[in-house]
Amino acid sequence: MKKSVYRGLSALALSTALFGLNTSCTKDLDQTPKYELTPDKVYVGVNGYKQVLGKLYAGFALTGAQGPGGAGDISGIDAGTSDYIRQLWSAQELTTDEAVIAWNDPGVQEWHNMNWDANDPLLRGLYSRIYYEIAICNEFIRESSDENLNSRLGGAESAQGKLFRAEARFLRAVAYMHVIDLFGNGPFVTEADAVGATLPPYYTRKQLYDFVESELLALTTELAPPRTNEYGRVDQSAAHGYLARLYLNAGVYAGADQYAKAAEEAKKVIDAGYTLSTTRSTASSAYGLLFLGDNNTAPASNEIIWPVIFDVSRVQSFGGTTFLVNGATSGADGAWQAYVGETTGWGGMRTTRALVDKFFLAGGDTARDTRGRFWTRGQSLEINDLSQFTQGLGVIKYRNVTSTGVGLGGSLNFSSVDFPMLRLADMMLIYAEAAARTNTNRSTALGYVNQIRARAFGNNSAAITDAQMTPEFILDERARELHWEGTRRTDLIRYNRFVEGTYLWPWKGGVANGRAVEAHRVLFPIPAADLTANPNLKQNPGY
């Protein structure tokens, strides 16, 4: 059982405490006054602050305070479906060549068919989940002002509170970065805005970009030094890593490329002491260890910079990696279920041949490249009907087993695989892409790419040459290394391959052979309900 940074949450009435209710009773003359938690009763000592900080981290993993089947934090969407990772992954992967899904619930097929609109329930759920995370971070930051910390804590505890505040600012910056990437523009609120006092102002993509950049730059010194924080919490390397991602996509987000800055920030992470997982186990390749149920232990944990923690008994969700394990497994194949460490399968996600071909056609042999692992028994490569789970190969990247092959799901069938939000190989590929695009630092970048490929193939037989290290090669290498990790849509947009007709995949745009789609679909629409509620907002063009 993992020691989770989320522990202790059940002791708090967080839905009340986090939104800063300032009255201690309900003034109703017909009833006995009701006791409610107030900030002064929640933020008691450093442990009180740490418990609420756990809720901020848990916002990426859990859906509510009552467990996976209870009432969710946000309304208008099934609680299990509303999980942050599940919704983010769906927007980033189901819209691309890497994933399709069999289910026909409202909004599900719209992801891959690319025909969503402003009333889409899943998009509203994603948007609401992101802004819920921003709201609870704002409240924590507000309650951890210098004045509050000095009055509630003392000495070393106050310094610890400031570190917690920095982590909350980081989590808020990540959520705002998802707004930038997915919606472009949107409402903007910080701890300086009183809860419910005014309608949030509308910020453009560039305004949000500038805010996130300034926050992450400050946090590169305010967070804990690299590799000194407890597992599951962020450090300075996480800030550098998200700056690297921000700068890699600056041309899309802010209209001006920042590849040199992307490389600089990525290099700071690469040099911070994280190491690639290169030791295989009896049950997995070295690469596969990164996605097992004990990836919170070395060597996998030495590569993962920031994980979102899941645990079969303590951090349960119908989203997260339970979604990625069970949702991608057949409900009719016991051998498949046993291989991924569960006793059930939901029969949902598979991949298209476009991803499979990247292993077979470009360095091209999944028998050697340990990153390409597909379930073929009972599955066809070609897809004639998106709703048929047996059409499209299964992806067996996430497995709820230990490094010795022991299944962890048991009768509960939840996952203990931690989701890697940020890991070293991504930083190496960011550095390599920047080098390939700017024709600088190519020797160092080539070394990083070949380290990654040596891990994948178990030797140096798949090393590439400098001439082969083109931006296009890096895009395909990112698919091989990072598929199903929630980066693909962003990568395709950066390369002008997402909506365009120059790159097609099966059922892109709802057509069997794929088609170009409308240019405005590089952004999702702001949900119609939020536009109605807040006249300050503006809909994205095309919706």
Side-chain angles (χ1 to χ4, degrees):
M1 183 180 293
K2 299 175 184 176
K3 290 184 177 179
S4 171
V5 70
Y6 317 148
R7 61 186 178 271
L9 300 183
S10 60
L12 297 175
L14 289 164
S15 60
T16 299
L18 287 170
F19 286 96
L21 298 179
N22 293 317
T23 57
S24 59
C25 65
T26 300
K27 294 182 180 179
D28 186 337
L29 298 179
D30 297 325
Q31 299 182 35
T32 302
K34 298 176 182 178
Y35 174 81
E36 294 180 355
L37 283 176
T38 61
D40 284 340
K41 293 182 173 65
V42 172
Y43 296 94
V44 178
V46 71
N47 288 333
Y49 272 94
K50 189 173 184 180
Q51 284 183 314
V52 183
L53 178 68
K55 170 63 178 179
L56 309 189
Y57 279 101
F60 291 88
L62 302 176
T63 54
Q66 300 176 12
D73 293 320
I74 61 176
S75 61
I77 186 174
D78 171 74
T81 305
S82 75
D83 169 78
Y84 200 123
I85 297 299
R86 177 169 175 166
Q87 287 299 299
L88 178 64
W89 186 94
S90 296
Q92 289 286 77
E93 297 291 346
L94 289 174
T95 57
T96 76
D97 54 345
E98 291 189 350
V100 296
I101 193 166
W103 307 329
N104 287 302
D105 307 74
V108 170
Q109 289 303 328
E110 282 80 347
W111 291 121
H112 202 80
N113 290 334
M114 303 176 85
N115 62 348
W116 52 76
D117 61 31
N119 294 302
D120 188 290
L122 298 184
L123 279 176
R124 183 181 179 186
L126 171 62
Y127 178 92
S128 298
R129 177 58 67 185
I130 293 171
Y131 273 101
Y132 174 79
E133 182 67 22
I134 290 169
I136 60 177
C137 288
N138 280 341
E139 184 60 23
F140 183 89
I141 296 165
R142 189 178 293 117
E143 293 297 333
S144 57
S145 66
D146 286 349
E147 179 181 0
N148 283 332
L149 292 177
N150 289 335
S151 65
R152 295 169 181 164
L153 307 177
E157 284 193 344
S158 182
Q160 188 70 18
K162 291 179 180 180
L163 179 61
F164 294 163
R165 182 177 66 199
E167 292 176 46
R169 288 171 60 196
F170 173 84
L171 297 176
R172 181 181 64 181
V174 169
Y176 268 124
M177 193 163 161
H178 290 149
V179 175
I180 295 168
D181 186 79
L182 298 163
F183 299 97
N185 318 284
F188 179 72
V189 184
T190 71
E191 75 281 3
D193 302 293
V195 177
T198 59
L199 292 173
Y202 171 85
Y203 261 41
T204 66
R205 199 178 212 182
K206 180 61 165 60
Q207 286 176 302
L208 292 174
Y209 176 97
D210 289 343
F211 172 76
V212 170
E213 180 188 28
S214 65
E215 285 287 277
L216 291 175
L217 284 170
L219 293 170
T220 59
T221 58
E222 294 180 28
L223 288 168
R227 299 184 57 76
T228 63
N229 215 340
E230 68 180 302
Y231 181 79
R233 291 172 57 194
V234 296
D235 60 25
Q236 292 171 7
S237 287
H240 287 298
Y242 270 86
L243 274 171
R245 284 186 174 177
L246 187 74
Y247 289 140
L248 184 70
N249 294 286
V252 175
Y253 296 163
D257 292 335
Q258 297 283 3
Y259 293 121
K261 287 185 177 180
E264 179 183 358
E265 296 298 330
K267 191 70 165 67
K268 290 174 181 177
V269 182
I270 295 168
D271 293 342
Y274 296 91
T275 57
L276 290 182
S277 168
T278 57
T279 304
R280 65 168 295 122
S281 75
T282 55
S284 174
S285 66
Y287 175 81
L289 289 175
L290 292 164
F291 311 100
L292 298 186
D294 57 359
N295 62 347
N296 60 307
T297 61
S301 61
N302 293 332
E303 178 173 343
I304 300 173
I305 299 158
W306 174 34
V308 172
I309 295 174
F310 293 93
D311 184 86
V312 66
S313 59
R314 299 182 66 182
V315 189
Q316 298 176 343
S317 171
F318 290 117
T321 56
T322 296
F323 171 67
L324 296 178
V325 176
N326 296 2
T329 301
S330 169
D333 191 328
W336 190 343
Q337 295 166 18
Y339 185 71
V340 300
E342 300 286 14
T343 58
T344 189
W346 300 349
M349 296 90 75
R350 306 90 69 208
T351 193
T352 76
R353 72 168 304 145
L355 176 61
V356 178
D357 284 349
K358 286 174 176 52
F359 291 94
F360 284 104
L361 299 181
D365 183 356
T366 58
R368 292 190 299 143
D369 190 334
T370 57
R371 300 171 297 183
R373 286 292 172 261
F374 305 102
W375 192 272
T376 59
R377 189 176 72 182
Q379 304 293 122
S380 64
L381 177 62
E382 304 299 340
I383 302 172
N384 297 312
D385 184 346
L386 289 172
S387 68
Q388 297 301 308
F389 179 73
T390 56
Q391 297 181 22
L393 299 189
V395 175
I396 46 177
K397 180 166 185 168
Y398 298 92
R399 298 171 57 210
N400 194 30
V401 301
T402 68
S403 53
T404 58
V406 177
L408 296 172
S411 61
L412 295 176
N413 282 305
F414 291 106
S415 172
S416 284
V417 182
D418 296 340
F419 185 82
M421 292 289 281
L422 200 66
R423 63 184 179 92
L424 179 61
D426 184 17
M427 296 297 103
M428 290 177 162
L429 289 173
I430 288 175
Y431 188 92
E433 182 179 332
R437 288 182 180 273
T438 61
N439 203 33
T440 58
N441 305 311
R442 292 186 63 90
S443 177
T444 301
L446 182 64
Y448 293 150
V449 172
N450 283 332
Q451 284 183 51
I452 291 170
R453 291 179 64 79
R455 189 255 300 273
F457 286 81
N459 53 49
N460 295 320
S461 63
I464 64 168
T465 66
D466 179 80
Q468 291 174 298
M469 194 181 71
T470 63
E472 290 70 26
F473 178 89
I474 298 300
L475 176 62
D476 286 348
E477 190 68 10
R478 286 184 65 84
R480 288 185 284 269
E481 178 69 24
L482 301 171
H483 64 279
W484 281 38
E485 293 183 52
T487 65
R488 186 59 171 171
R489 171 187 159 275
T490 303
D491 290 346
L492 290 175
I493 291 173
R494 187 173 65 256
Y495 275 82
N496 298 314
R497 306 283 175 83
F498 184 63
V499 297
E500 294 80 4
T502 51
Y503 178 58
L504 302 178
W505 57 82
W507 295 99
K508 177 180 179 178
V511 174
N513 293 322
R515 67 172 178 89
V517 300
E518 303 91 337
H520 67 264
R521 295 198 181 277
V522 294
L523 288 176
F524 293 113
I526 293 175
D530 212 35
L531 290 172
T532 300
N534 185 356
N536 293 333
L537 304 183
K538 303 174 186 178
Q539 185 56 278
N540 289 328
Y543 294 105

